[in-house]
Amino acid sequence: MARTPADLVGTRTGPSFEITFGDRPVPARPGQSVAAALWGAGILAWRTTRSGGRPRGAFCGIGQCYDCLATINGQPNRRACLVPAHPGDVVVTQEGHGHASLG
Amino acid sequence: MRPSAEPPTAPDLYDLAVIGAGCAGLSGAVTASELGLSVALLDASPQIGGQFFRHPAPATGAARPEALHHDWSLFTGLRRRLEASAVDLLGGHHVWSVVREGGLWAVHAVTGADGGEERAVRVRARAVLLATGAYERQLPFPGWTLPGVVGAGGAQAMLKSGLVLPGRRVVVAGSGPLLLAVAASLAAAGARVPAVIEASGYLGYARHPYALAANPHKLTEAAVHGGALLRHRVRLRTRTAVTEVHGTDRVEAVTVSRLDRDWRLVPGSGRRIACDALAVGHGLAPQIDLATTLGCATRTTPDRTTALVLDTSQETSVRDLWAAGEPGGVGGARLADVEGELAGLAIAARLRGHPARRGRVRELERRRDRMRAFADAMAAAHAPGTGWPQWLADDTEVCRCEEVTTQSVRAAVTDLGARDARTVKLFTRAGMGWCQGRMCGAAVTCLAAQHGSAEALAEPAPERRPFAVPVPLRALGSLDDPAPAPQTVTTD
């Protein structure tokens, strides 16, 4: 039985809008966080660390660890596990502190 | 209830400000409101329920949100009372400081989904109830920063509200009863859970027969999880730990090793389990930074977390500052509900000057003490063993934010003489990043203590975080008072 979380809670609506991650469209459900939409598409990393350049994504899932920081609609350092997804949101991998343009 | 980010008729001064709208906060807020107090209820989330009763947003259209929960009726009961009450619900408010101002409390918050709206809000109140819950305690191990390794509570949270899984085949590991609940939820939601890897033995509970016998609902809960695990063919393996994660850019497998009683590795016992995600955690740590910054007395719990010292009415060592639920020691939703009501009754009695109903108070105190005894037994059974640092490799990152390795932390201790987490932080930056040591604090404290003394696992020093969450400078600048910020401002 290929059960899904949405089946389990009896969700009547499917993904109804899209956001983009890089150049990739990602389906999202109303009420989902950006991190949840990305996990739903099998994407687990959307940040690289400041010194090692290593990939990171959501870890604590409740806004405490700040590992899920992403650049959302041009704004860096947003906690993707807390920020709700909105139609047309543009999410890109945040590199380092996310302020490279400041030099 | 007046659910609004900015109630148009919000009073200038409330009787009570409740911080946290989980079980404890909801219970305290509705109890106080029903007794005639004016109450503001603040939570970082736009939704009520806290972490335990985290649930999908209404827009998701979930017909059976209770499918992911125990005791859902406890939540719906509190929600009904909140809706019928005059409590001002301030969702999306991230509280960053509580300060004393002229005999009253000022609760400072920034608004927005992640506090990014940069609107500064100050709520004044005669009493404050801290119901700030807990966060998951982590211990590092080789590979724990790889994408696909997530907190066990994090996996649960993402599932409860976002209806998503971190992978299709998820190993659950660490220590504590939460692991069984997480494994049961993940499996019910369609993940394959090859094993629950528990570092302690469950025999520890047998040492506390009275606490077990007095809390039959906990046994029922264990039986429900146990039944779910059997049904989904999940194996519980005690006295084992994930000691390595394999994969280049994401999890491909984990190595599981046997542990002795002190959590030291049994050589040659490593076994590989294929998986695409690992959900890991070592119990919960009380979220008490707002209180410790105000100088509240703390105690060390049997599993060596730091919790607030509370009197029988739930008041902290600071007058007119109360706490309920996990800040006083992790004990679960039912205990939080009871403590919230006790606090609500006591606060109403203090502010209105009439005695609380003795019969009800005595009954609640009995229930609280019984559940606290069970929580202590559980904490003792899952307390981290002294041997866990042996799992670390030199290049294992201890501090995830600042990418500080085990080698650097050990050098700070052995070569530079650091003997506590704070000194290690000053030498290495471990704990100085975005999360302010919430993820690495337990490990760094332990590594600092183990090198210098015979003491195996020192109690973590209560962290003082004058800013409980990051605050944009613009929000600080918008405060009208000349000196509204806390007295102690550190540069780290």
Side-chain angles (χ1 to χ4, degrees):
Chain A
M1 183 179 62
R3 186 157 212 185
T4 68
D7 294 340
L8 182 66
V9 297
T11 300
R12 291 179 295 270
T13 54
S16 61
F17 63 87
E18 278 184 354
I19 64 175
T20 61
F21 175 64
D23 50 12
R24 179 178 163 185
V26 170
R29 257 173 220 288
Q32 267 185 330
S33 67
V34 167
L38 294 171
W39 272 25
I43 299 163
L44 295 177
W46 48 85
R47 176 171 84 88
T48 57
T49 58
R50 296 200 309 278
S51 30
R54 298 294 299 154
R56 297 281 180 87
F59 181 69
C60 81
I62 62 168
Q64 294 283 344
C65 77
Y66 298 82
D67 246 343
C68 69
L69 296 178
T71 299
I72 302 174
N73 300 327
Q75 199 182 357
N77 297 314
R78 302 299 308 275
R79 277 177 279 174
C81 76
L82 297 183
V83 176
H86 294 294
D89 276 347
V90 177
V91 184
V92 298
T93 295
Q94 174 171 328
E95 289 171 9
H97 51 54
H99 290 289
S101 61
L102 299 179
Chain B
M1 182 182 72
R2 293 187 289 185
S4 157
E6 191 174 27
T9 56
D12 187 44
L13 171 67
Y14 289 90
D15 290 323
L16 172 63
V18 180
I19 304 171
C23 230
L26 286 171
S27 176
V30 296
T31 300
S33 174
E34 285 161 5
L35 290 167
L37 268 55
S38 59
V39 180
L41 174 58
L42 298 93
D43 196 286
S45 168
Q47 277 191 291
I48 60 167
Q51 298 309 333
F52 189 80
F53 289 119
R54 185 184 260 266
H55 54 282
T60 316
R64 293 187 302 274
E66 71 278 10
L68 284 165
H69 289 89
H70 274 288
D71 281 343
W72 184 247
S73 61
L74 172 60
F75 173 63
T76 52
L78 289 168
R79 186 170 60 186
R80 261 196 307 276
R81 286 169 68 195
L82 179 71
E83 283 162 357
S85 78
V87 171
D88 278 338
L89 175 62
L90 306 180
H93 280 58
H94 303 250
V95 175
W96 57 271
S97 180
V98 177
V99 287
R100 205 74 173 143
E101 278 181 13
L104 297 169
W105 293 111
V107 177
H108 290 276
V110 286
T111 61
D114 64 346
E117 267 174 38
E118 308 192 2
R119 193 165 64 81
V121 175
R122 173 170 21 194
V123 173
R124 288 189 174 86
R126 297 166 67 196
V128 166
L129 172 58
L130 297 169
T132 42
Y135 56 89
E136 197 161 37
R137 174 167 56 181
Q138 295 293 343
L139 295 177
F141 52 93
W144 78 306
T145 52
L146 204 59
V149 181
V150 300
Q156 177 93 318
M158 293 283 284
L159 173 58
K160 281 179 176 176
S161 60
L163 304 177
V164 287
L165 298 165
R168 304 165 79 85
R169 199 176 150 83
V170 188
V171 170
V172 177
S175 189
L178 178 69
L179 300 184
L180 301 179
V182 171
S185 304
L186 295 175
R192 175 88 182 91
V193 180
V196 175
I197 305 300
E198 162 65 56
S200 297
Y202 263 84
L203 284 176
Y205 287 83
R207 292 191 206 107
H208 304 272
Y210 297 109
L212 275 178
N215 290 272
H217 71 273
K218 286 290 180 189
L219 293 178
T220 315
E221 205 176 305
V224 169
H225 290 319
L229 297 182
L230 278 177
R231 201 161 56 248
H232 294 291
R233 300 195 306 277
V234 177
R235 282 192 60 193
L236 171 63
R237 300 180 59 192
T238 56
R239 295 223 181 281
T240 54
V242 169
T243 47
E244 198 175 352
V245 182
H246 308 279
T248 319
D249 284 322
R250 58 179 295 168
V251 176
E252 290 164 15
V254 295
T255 291
V256 171
S257 303
R258 288 216 330 269
L259 302 180
D260 70 12
R261 288 166 52 103
D262 297 324
W263 293 24
R264 279 186 298 261
L265 292 180
V266 175
S269 65
R271 211 186 110 213
R272 210 173 154 109
I273 300 179
C275 57
D276 58 0
L278 170 67
V280 65
H282 284 272
L284 303 177
Q287 175 92 283
I288 55 171
D289 24 29
L290 293 169
T292 48
T293 302
L294 286 164
C296 290
T298 60
R299 68 184 178 96
T300 301
T301 64
D303 61 344
R304 302 185 191 95
T305 65
T306 305
L308 298 179
V309 172
L310 303 174
D311 72 7
T312 57
S313 77
Q314 302 293 133
E315 193 170 18
T316 69
S317 63
V318 172
R319 189 172 165 84
D320 294 332
L321 183 66
W322 314 67
E326 318 299 35
V330 171
R334 285 193 186 200
L335 176 57
D337 173 45
V338 167
E339 291 191 344
E341 184 174 346
L342 270 171
L345 290 169
I347 294 164
R350 164 87 48 90
L351 297 189
R352 289 283 179 264
H354 59 70
R357 289 180 300 151
R358 276 313 304 167
R360 179 67 178 159
V361 168
R362 268 198 298 273
E363 182 202 330
L364 290 169
E365 284 176 354
R366 265 198 305 274
R367 284 164 60 192
R368 176 193 58 198
D369 296 347
R370 200 181 63 215
M371 287 190 276
R372 276 268 163 239
F374 183 82
D376 282 353
M378 207 158 70
H382 294 281
T386 53
W388 73 265
Q390 192 206 2
W391 313 346
L392 298 167
D394 280 350
D395 64 351
T396 305
E397 281 173 13
V398 174
C399 168
R400 301 172 66 93
C401 298
E402 297 295 311
E403 301 165 75
V404 182
T405 62
T406 304
Q407 193 170 29
S408 306
V409 172
R410 285 187 168 142
V413 175
T414 52
D415 303 346
L416 302 173
R419 291 291 176 269
D420 56 63
R422 184 170 174 78
T423 314
V424 172
K425 173 163 92 170
L426 297 175
F427 282 137
T428 67
R429 298 191 62 84
M432 209 179 272
W434 275 97
C435 86
Q436 286 289 289
R438 288 182 180 91
M439 297 302 119
C440 68
V444 173
T445 301
C446 190
L447 290 172
Q450 279 200 330
H451 275 268
S453 68
E455 195 180 354
L457 192 85
E459 65 183 79
E463 292 290 338
R464 284 186 175 234
R465 298 184 184 105
F467 295 85
V469 298
V471 182
L473 282 173
R474 198 184 309 168
L476 286 181
S478 74
L479 295 171
D480 49 12
D481 255 10
Q487 302 290 308
T488 45
V489 177
T490 57
T491 50
D492 56 9

